[in-house]
Amino acid sequence: MGRTSDARERLIQSGMDLLQAGGYAQAGVQEICARAGVRKGSFYHFFATKSHLGLAVVEQFHAASIALLDQALAKDLPVPERIERLFLMVATIQETFRDEAGAVKGCPFGNLVLEMSTRDESLRLVLARVLRDTIARLESTLRSGSPAAEPARIREQAEAIFSLLEGAILVAKAENDPAIIRRMALCARQMVAASA
Amino acid sequence: MGRTSDARERLIQSGMDLLQAGGYAQAGVQEICARAGVRKGSFYHFFATKSHLGLAVVEQFHAASIALLDQALAKDLPVPERIERLFLMVATIQETFRDEAGAVKGCPFGNLVLEMSTRDESLRLVLARVLRDTIARLESTLRSGSPAAEPARIREQAEAIFSLLEGAILVAKAENDPAIIRRMALCARQMVAASA
């Protein structure tokens, strides 16, 4: 058993690992604690239920995803190239997973949506908010590149870019090969450039 | 317990239902049999392992998906409108799920990829083949609309259309609202029309 002081962090890490391995839904609190090296009693000190741990896991992934978006969408490049950079950064992350762990792990939000959204309504609502927040960030970047475009059109383009990225990550996971994400990077850049 | 004669079909249906409810991975053979009203001994008469049932479930969904693609991509419309029709048909299916069962169930292949692909390698390979087959059908439709286009470009566009569709279904599931799939139908039509 590790130090109590970082038990909460280790429980969250254990939830993140299980989720990315496709085993979050069926893991019990006992298994999560065993992986984290934390006593079951301590779990309930930090989280009232497994669902509360799920929310903390989403929060942690969300913070990482905001950092990634900030870096990818930074204003040092024209807008189409920023969108391309986002796809390329995601491809690199998935390549690292595959090279280090043998498997493309996919998008944690996508994984959690498909694994949990018909089973845990409060988690579904949080995930929907995270997805909407990501689409809103894309929308704001796209608007800065096409200030005269119709707002509804820009919102739809942001939804299309996000859907394209999530779908490409899903195919990459099925193929255990992130190459499609790199191909879609160019596609996304051209989509944005064509409408600018 | 129902008739033995349709026990195999009922086991497959039980696997399909569990998968669409996000509960396939953690369901044991016992639970699958109980849902199907089939004795556990009969399960092993039809399937050597749960993984073999998984393959039969994918096969069944694949047959349904081919029928849907054939209908959506039929040659009575110009190519961009056929692609739009595919999105609209998928939106209608998900609307029916939501209205009848209260939840957007999503794409069975997407669900299974995210739930199982890091856990069952033989199932992952079959799913990758189903996804590739779907992309190839889209590719062949797109090529008929742009016979002079570069083959690699057409293949990428087919991958983009498929990724866009899978990603939109994922967002629809998170939001429990298929509206985004209808918005992406127009997007997909315009993407195809612009490059024709």
Side-chain angles (χ1 to χ4, degrees):
Chain A
M1 298 289 151
R3 287 174 300 122
T4 309
S5 58
D6 60 0
R8 186 175 184 278
E9 284 63 38
R10 280 181 288 122
L11 287 167
I12 293 175
Q13 187 59 51
S14 170
M16 292 169 82
D17 294 345
L18 277 165
L19 172 62
Q20 289 297 70
Y24 183 75
Q26 72 265 38
V29 167
Q30 187 126 25
E31 183 184 345
I32 295 169
C33 289
R35 289 180 73 109
V38 167
R39 279 191 307 273
K40 204 168 168 185
S42 302
F43 182 95
Y44 294 106
H45 176 67
F46 297 111
F47 305 105
T49 64
K50 183 183 161 193
S51 194
H52 287 79
L53 172 66
L55 298 180
V57 165
V58 171
E59 204 179 283
Q60 192 99 339
F61 275 126
H62 192 196
S65 128
I66 289 172
L68 174 74
L69 284 164
D70 283 348
Q71 209 184 327
L73 303 177
K75 297 178 180 168
D76 57 330
L77 288 178
V79 169
E81 280 77 3
R82 291 184 222 166
I83 299 294
E84 181 183 30
R85 178 164 59 188
L86 173 62
F87 279 67
L88 295 176
M89 286 173 71
V90 169
T92 301
I93 292 170
Q94 299 297 332
E95 281 158 7
T96 307
F97 283 144
R98 192 204 39 196
D99 297 345
E100 289 181 358
V104 168
K105 292 186 178 177
C107 168
F109 306 118
N111 294 347
L112 206 46
V113 166
L114 296 205
E115 199 178 4
M116 297 296 286
S117 68
T118 52
R119 301 151 56 88
D120 183 330
E121 182 66 6
S122 64
L123 200 50
R124 183 188 71 72
L125 289 170
V126 171
L127 287 165
R129 198 157 44 74
V130 169
L131 265 44
R132 274 291 138 199
D133 174 62
T134 307
I135 291 170
R137 282 165 196 272
L138 289 168
E139 188 183 340
S140 138
T141 295
L142 294 171
R143 189 177 304 119
S144 72
S146 309
E150 204 197 322
R153 182 78 196 94
I154 291 285
R155 194 169 320 118
E156 272 174 27
Q157 191 172 48
E159 290 183 324
I161 296 292
F162 182 73
S163 298
L164 182 65
L165 179 58
E166 283 294 328
I169 297 173
L170 191 148
V171 177
K173 193 166 170 181
E175 297 185 333
N176 202 24
D177 181 352
I180 188 173
I181 307 174
R182 294 202 173 270
R183 290 194 294 276
M184 293 305 104
L186 183 62
C187 250
R189 191 184 85 192
Q190 289 169 342
M191 259 172 76
V192 175
S195 71
Chain B
M1 299 289 150
R3 286 174 301 120
T4 309
S5 54
D6 60 359
R8 186 175 183 276
E9 284 62 39
R10 280 182 287 124
L11 287 167
I12 294 175
Q13 187 61 49
S14 171
M16 291 170 82
D17 293 346
L18 277 164
L19 171 61
Q20 288 298 70
Y24 184 74
Q26 72 266 37
V29 167
Q30 187 127 25
E31 183 183 345
I32 295 169
C33 290
R35 289 180 72 107
V38 168
R39 279 190 308 273
K40 204 167 168 185
S42 302
F43 182 95
Y44 293 106
H45 175 68
F46 297 110
F47 305 104
T49 64
K50 183 183 160 192
S51 194
H52 286 78
L53 172 66
L55 298 180
V57 165
V58 171
E59 203 178 283
Q60 192 98 340
F61 276 125
H62 192 195
S65 127
I66 289 173
L68 174 73
L69 285 164
D70 282 348
Q71 208 183 329
L73 303 177
K75 296 177 181 169
D76 57 331
L77 289 178
V79 170
E81 279 77 3
R82 290 184 222 168
I83 300 293
E84 181 182 29
R85 178 165 57 189
L86 173 62
F87 279 67
L88 294 176
M89 286 173 73
V90 168
T92 301
I93 292 171
Q94 299 297 332
E95 282 157 5
T96 306
F97 282 145
R98 194 203 39 194
D99 297 344
E100 290 179 359
V104 167
K105 292 187 178 177
C107 167
F109 306 118
N111 294 348
L112 206 46
V113 165
L114 297 205
E115 198 178 7
M116 295 296 286
S117 68
T118 53
R119 303 150 54 89
D120 184 330
E121 182 66 6
S122 65
L123 200 50
R124 182 188 72 71
L125 290 170
V126 171
L127 286 166
R129 196 156 45 74
V130 169
L131 265 45
R132 275 292 137 198
D133 174 60
T134 307
I135 291 170
R137 280 165 197 270
L138 289 168
E139 188 183 341
S140 138
T141 294
L142 294 172
R143 189 178 304 118
S144 72
S146 311
E150 204 197 323
R153 180 79 195 94
I154 291 285
R155 195 169 317 119
E156 272 174 26
Q157 191 171 48
E159 290 182 325
I161 296 292
F162 183 72
S163 298
L164 182 66
L165 180 58
E166 283 293 330
I169 297 173
L170 191 147
V171 176
K173 194 168 169 179
E175 298 186 332
N176 202 24
D177 180 352
I180 188 173
I181 307 173
R182 293 203 173 269
R183 291 193 293 277
M184 294 304 104
L186 183 61
C187 249
R189 190 185 84 191
Q190 289 170 341
M191 261 172 74
V192 175
S195 70

